[in-house]
Amino acid sequence: MSIARICSRAACHRPAVSTLTYVYADSTCVLGPLATYAEPHCYDLCAEHAERLTAPNGWEVIRLAPDPAAAGPSSDDLEALANAVREAARPLPPRTSGRPGSSSPGAPVEVARRGHLRMLQDPGNTAQDKSSGQG
């Protein structure tokens, strides 16, 4: 579930489309495409406020225009999606019973399961733990 980010300007509730960053050392305002995630020292702006942005006296505004080709899914995105679908469609390998002798040597042994969580035990310690725990 993703929550749409809104403009950082007071009383503006429009969706954000650009991110504003101040570079104090260079007296520069950088206005670019909406950042992937909200940063504490950046400001998200709607289209109207991004267009009307002015910099303080003596400051420079750098406007990074978004690449229209990057807006849609790229061939890499589509290939990654196709690979994920193929991977999900593959049959699962047969599960081991969890007994020390039934799994491949060196593989962890499943001792218990609760929902999606599993408790694993080091296969080298299974026999030792049983014998040393008794006595």
Side-chain angles (χ1 to χ4, degrees):
M1 177 177 159
S2 70
I3 298 173
R5 293 177 8 212
I6 61 169
C7 184
S8 297
R9 297 291 301 259
C12 182
H13 300 291
R14 290 184 289 255
V17 296
S18 299
T19 298
L20 171 66
T21 306
Y22 290 104
V23 182
Y24 294 99
D26 298 332
S27 299
T28 305
C29 301
V30 180
L31 184 67
L34 189 63
T36 307
Y37 54 91
E39 297 261 353
H41 301 290
C42 295
Y43 303 92
D44 295 336
L45 299 176
C46 65
E48 183 180 336
H49 285 120
E51 185 179 315
R52 293 183 1 207
L53 176 75
T54 59
N57 287 337
W59 283 55
E60 180 184 2
V61 177
I62 298 176
R63 295 179 187 268
L64 303 174
D67 182 13
S74 69
S75 61
D76 290 341
D77 294 336
L78 296 174
E79 185 176 349
L81 180 60
N83 289 338
V85 169
R86 280 189 212 105
E87 182 69 27
R90 273 193 196 133
L92 294 174
R95 292 187 60 182
T96 60
S97 65
R99 287 184 230 121
S102 65
S103 63
S104 62
V109 177
E110 185 175 323
V111 177
R113 178 181 286 267
R114 179 176 284 174
H116 67 280
L117 301 174
R118 298 183 304 160
M119 181 187 301
L120 302 177
Q121 187 172 29
D122 185 11
N125 294 335
T126 56
Q128 295 171 354
D129 291 343
K130 290 178 182 175
S131 63
S132 63
Q134 300 284 338

